[in-house]
Amino acid sequence: MAHNRTIVIGSLLAVVLVTSAYAYMAKQTALPAPATSAANSDAEHPPQSPIVVTTARVLSDSDLDKMKEPDTIDDNPISRWSIAKLGIATSNMWVLADEAALEKKVRLALTGEEELPDVLLLNNRILPRLLDELVASGRFADIGESFERYASPRLKEAYALNTDVWKTVRVGGKLWGLPQISDGKVGDPILWVRQDWLDRLGLAVPTTLNELTAVLDAFTNRDPDGNGKDDTIGLALAGKNSLNGWIGDASFVFGAFGDQPYQWNRMPDGSLAYGSIQPGMRDALAVLAEWYGRGYLHPNFGTYDEQSASSLFAEGQAGIISGPGWMGGWPLSEVPQGPDMPVFKPIPFPSGPDGKIGRRGSNISYGSYVFRQGFEHMDAVFRYYDEVYGALIEDPASDFLHGFAENYDYKRVGGEVLYDFPGKTSTISRQLLVALGSTPPGVIRSESIEQRVYRGKIDTPYEKRLSATSSKLFLEGSIVSDQQLDYARKDEFVGAPGPKMRAKWPALQDMEKKAFLKIVYGNEQPDSFVQFVRDWHVYGGEEIKREVNEWDRANR
């Protein structure tokens, strides 16, 4: 099986989308009975003159370099398909290098009355900051009526099964965008362990926090790589941004004590409370402080970002890391294999003292499409949206049955479809006008495509593509991640920040970061957590909590 980094990172198109490095995983899953779509009949007779829809694109130099001559971002297999099949011609009004440039461009357009594109994709970091301004400007459209009128039955089913995504765009009872739906698990972490180190030291896979502590001690102090040097640590942890980043997180430690920090969690009484101030955090931080004091963590973990922590593990300095199941594709499948080379294994999170298991959950949406007020072709957009959605549910009639563009992510040779060839790239999918992002939770009612392919079912084009572009380790990671879906805790606050949060949240986040790191580094005792909680309430936390719960009540 080929190890294809572009399938993992490019597919996180919106992962680890999203956001550029977080591009969202456009992975396919099992097929329900094909739904009849209005797009299928309408698309057979596109308008004589193409409908022109303007948009904006965030494309890096790498994206541009991967276009195959003579294709361009204005004329390529995706744009030609759109005209031929749907009668929709896309025009790139803005082409920007990164998401920060897009946010700046939108703000300038709103303040300067500059013309806006018809369609804009704003990721889940930009949208909350801009949403209130977009609504107040009067220059963007409520899409609620258009959705009811034009969305196909199978699209309506997807959103009916995932109604919370509408909270990301709802203001004043109206829907100010069309949210992409996350598959609900793309960012969910599991543990990755050096199986060869376990074997060399005669250790079993840890299933409890105490057993994990013993493994961390052995990986740190018993020369697991056998080189006679004191050059290994137990756990690769990223502390530069938070202790719950997208790789190198400590969410399993917090989850073992019943909560998740850095997010708003649903409490037994139905209200929302900030996880970082809950009592269980003190005990979790105490565990991390103990591990640090014993040398199980890198001495400078607080300066390490997610990629730095990932490198510690992939390069053999750390024996365990917490990270998403897709790590089995990148970076782990890129580590050379063979005798005396690392052997990685995905394992479930261990349980805590009271049997609790927990992890942070993936975002429910990694971005939304917003539409210019006065845009007259929402029917065309929903036809397009439905066509792309077909590939996500393995529709055998999809135009994207084999991939998004021949000679980009697949090619035909002698009547055979190949997925692993020189110059292959999945970045052509970034040329889509609109795309759902990933297969929505609930629409698949059988085993996942990863499970099917892993057990050897490689019959459909979708299964063949996944088999050809994914390593065994990637499939194993995905399957282990699925085993603990019920333990994921998602952030319940997905709206735009209110006035109090905008004013006081940055200072509270800074205070939180310093308080946590001081405890883990041993500069403060775990009991200092109590003072942090008091200060959090005094310096704006209590006001923000009221604000967040007001939003929650308005969006139930």
Side-chain angles (χ1 to χ4, degrees), residues 5-7 9-14 18-24 56-69 71-77 95-99 121 408 423-432:
R5 178 175 182 172
T6 59
I7 290 294
I9 291 296
S11 68
L12 283 174
L13 184 62
V18 198
T19 39
S20 303
Y22 274 30
Y24 220 35
R57 299 201 186 280
V58 174
L59 298 172
S60 66
D61 289 342
S62 176
D63 294 322
L64 298 173
D65 290 344
K66 290 176 181 176
M67 299 298 294
K68 312 279 188 182
E69 292 186 357
D71 293 341
T72 68
I73 61 173
D74 298 305
D75 183 9
N76 57 69
V95 180
L96 303 155
D98 54 41
E99 300 291 348
L121 174 61
Y408 282 85
K424 65 185 181 298
T425 174
S426 64
T427 58
I428 189 63
S429 63
R430 296 179 68 84
Q431 302 300 320
L432 291 166

Side-chain angles (χ1 to χ4, degrees), residues 166-240:
W166 292 118
K167 294 179 180 180
T168 65
V169 295
R170 185 182 292 120
V171 177
K174 297 182 178 181
L175 305 177
W176 299 98
L178 181 63
Q180 290 183 321
I181 305 175
S182 160
D183 68 0
K185 60 184 182 180
V186 65
D188 286 14
I190 56 176
L191 282 186
W192 291 91
V193 64
R194 285 288 299 269
Q195 181 64 49
D196 53 319
W197 288 11
L198 289 175
D199 294 342
R200 182 175 289 118
L201 299 177
L203 300 171
V205 170
T207 60
T208 67
L209 210 56
N210 284 339
E211 291 175 1
L212 177 62
T213 299
V215 170
L216 294 178
D217 186 82
F219 282 1
T220 303
N221 298 311
R222 291 175 55 191
D223 190 24
D225 56 3
N227 67 357
K229 300 178 181 179
D230 182 15
D231 60 356
T232 59
I233 59 173
L235 179 70
L237 183 63
K240 182 178 180 179

Side-chain angles (χ1 to χ4, degrees), residues 12-308:
L12 283 174
L13 184 62
V15 167
V16 170
L17 122 237
V18 198
T19 39
S20 303
Y22 274 30
Y24 220 35
M25 187 167 272
K27 67 182 178 36
Q28 293 74 29
T29 37
L31 172 66
T36 301
S37 165
N40 295 333
S41 58
D42 294 347
E44 299 301 324
H45 305 286
Q48 294 297 314
S49 298
I51 295 167
V52 177
V53 179
T54 59
T55 190
R57 299 201 186 280
V58 174
L59 298 172
S60 66
D61 289 342
S62 176
D63 294 322
L64 298 173
D65 290 344
K66 290 176 181 176
M67 299 298 294
K68 312 279 188 182
E69 292 186 357
D71 293 341
T72 68
I73 61 173
D74 298 305
D75 183 9
N76 57 69
I78 296 290
S79 66
R80 293 190 290 270
W81 165 84
S82 177
I83 293 173
K85 180 66 180 282
L86 302 174
I88 301 171
T90 56
S91 175
N92 297 306
M93 180 181 290
W94 299 344
V95 180
L96 303 155
D98 54 41
E99 300 291 348
L102 174 60
E103 182 175 1
K104 182 177 180 180
K105 187 73 171 178
V106 173
R107 289 187 186 280
L108 289 173
L110 291 177
T111 57
E113 296 300 319
E114 180 180 346
E115 185 179 1
L116 291 162
D118 297 322
V119 183
L120 277 170
L121 174 61
L122 302 179
N123 70 24
N124 65 304
R125 292 182 296 187
I126 294 176
L127 182 63
R129 293 196 292 260
L130 285 177
L131 185 57
D132 286 342
E133 295 176 52
L134 300 183
V135 173
S137 73
R139 301 184 65 190
F140 288 85
D142 164 23
I143 62 96
E145 182 179 344
S146 295
F147 180 86
E148 291 302 321
R149 184 174 181 183
Y150 300 122
S152 67
R154 63 186 185 181
L155 281 175
K156 288 181 177 177
E157 177 200 31
Y159 282 88
L161 290 168
N162 296 277
T163 56
D164 279 355
V165 297
W166 292 118
K167 294 179 180 180
T168 65
V169 295
R170 185 182 292 120
V171 177
K174 297 182 178 181
L175 305 177
W176 299 98
L178 181 63
Q180 290 183 321
I181 305 175
S182 160
D183 68 0
K185 60 184 182 180
V186 65
D188 286 14
I190 56 176
L191 282 186
W192 291 91
V193 64
R194 285 288 299 269
Q195 181 64 49
D196 53 319
W197 288 11
L198 289 175
D199 294 342
R200 182 175 289 118
L201 299 177
L203 300 171
V205 170
T207 60
T208 67
L209 210 56
N210 284 339
E211 291 175 1
L212 177 62
T213 299
V215 170
L216 294 178
D217 186 82
F219 282 1
T220 303
N221 298 311
R222 291 175 55 191
D223 190 24
D225 56 3
N227 67 357
K229 300 178 181 179
D230 182 15
D231 60 356
T232 59
I233 59 173
L235 179 70
L237 183 63
K240 182 178 180 179
N241 300 311
S242 83
L243 296 177
N244 265 10
W246 52 278
I247 286 181
D249 65 286
S251 69
F252 67 98
V253 182
F254 297 114
F257 293 94
D259 229 312
Q260 286 300 320
Y262 310 107
Q263 63 183 50
W264 293 85
N265 302 319
R266 184 75 60 189
M267 305 307 285
D269 66 0
S271 67
L272 296 187
Y274 193 53
S276 294
I277 63 169
Q278 302 311 306
M281 295 300 103
R282 184 263 179 212
D283 294 330
L285 291 169
V287 169
L288 291 172
E290 178 186 358
W291 289 355
Y292 182 81
R294 293 183 177 182
Y296 305 163
L297 311 179
H298 192 281
N300 300 318
F301 83 90
T303 66
Y304 275 42
D305 63 13
E306 290 85 349
Q307 293 194 19
S308 299

Side-chain angles (χ1 to χ4, degrees), residues 350-546:
S351 60
D354 298 326
K356 295 176 181 177
I357 299 173
R359 64 182 181 186
R360 60 174 176 76
S362 301
N363 292 332
I364 59 175
S365 175
Y366 285 91
S368 296
Y369 293 97
V370 294
F371 299 88
R372 177 183 58 81
Q373 182 68 266
F375 175 60
E376 298 177 346
H377 302 294
M378 290 298 293
D379 56 335
V381 166
F382 278 106
R383 289 200 305 272
Y384 196 119
Y385 208 54
D386 182 82
E387 289 286 339
V388 179
Y389 179 57
L392 298 182
I393 57 172
E394 297 182 61
D395 185 345
S398 172
D399 288 344
F400 305 118
L401 180 68
H402 298 293
F404 285 106
E406 189 170 358
N407 297 322
Y408 282 85
D409 53 357
Y410 74 98
K411 68 186 306 182
R412 300 176 190 273
V413 178
E416 182 181 0
V417 177
L418 302 180
Y419 300 102
D420 187 22
F421 54 91
K424 65 185 181 298
T425 174
S426 64
T427 58
I428 189 63
S429 63
R430 296 179 68 84
Q431 302 300 320
L432 291 166
L433 173 65
V434 287
L436 203 62
S438 57
T439 308
V443 301
I444 303 305
R445 298 174 180 87
S446 61
E447 66 180 336
S448 72
I449 190 171
E450 292 88 358
Q451 292 170 327
R452 281 182 277 136
V453 171
Y454 186 75
R455 65 177 174 79
K457 185 181 184 302
I458 308 172
D459 302 321
T460 71
Y462 296 102
E463 292 164 349
K464 292 176 181 177
R465 181 176 10 160
L466 182 64
S467 175
T469 58
S470 300
S471 67
K472 180 182 179 182
L473 196 60
F474 170 84
L475 298 176
E476 290 174 342
S478 299
I479 292 169
V480 171
S481 181
D482 285 351
Q483 292 172 358
Q484 293 195 314
L485 286 177
D486 291 342
Y487 298 120
R489 194 156 194 181
K490 301 182 187 300
D491 191 349
E492 297 284 346
F493 176 63
V494 294
K500 298 296 184 182
M501 180 174 281
R502 287 195 298 270
K504 299 185 177 184
W505 198 242
L508 287 177
Q509 286 182 304
D510 183 63
M511 181 173 69
E512 171 186 21
K513 179 179 180 179
K514 291 177 179 177
F516 280 23
L517 287 180
K518 284 179 180 179
I519 291 173
V520 179
Y521 271 128
N523 297 326
E524 297 280 358
Q525 292 299 308
D527 286 344
S528 67
F529 175 77
V530 175
Q531 186 59 50
F532 157 70
V533 173
R534 292 195 190 105
D535 292 342
W536 187 89
H537 283 286
V538 170
Y539 292 110
E542 189 64 32
E543 297 171 288
I544 292 172
K545 177 183 176 181
R546 287 195 293 270

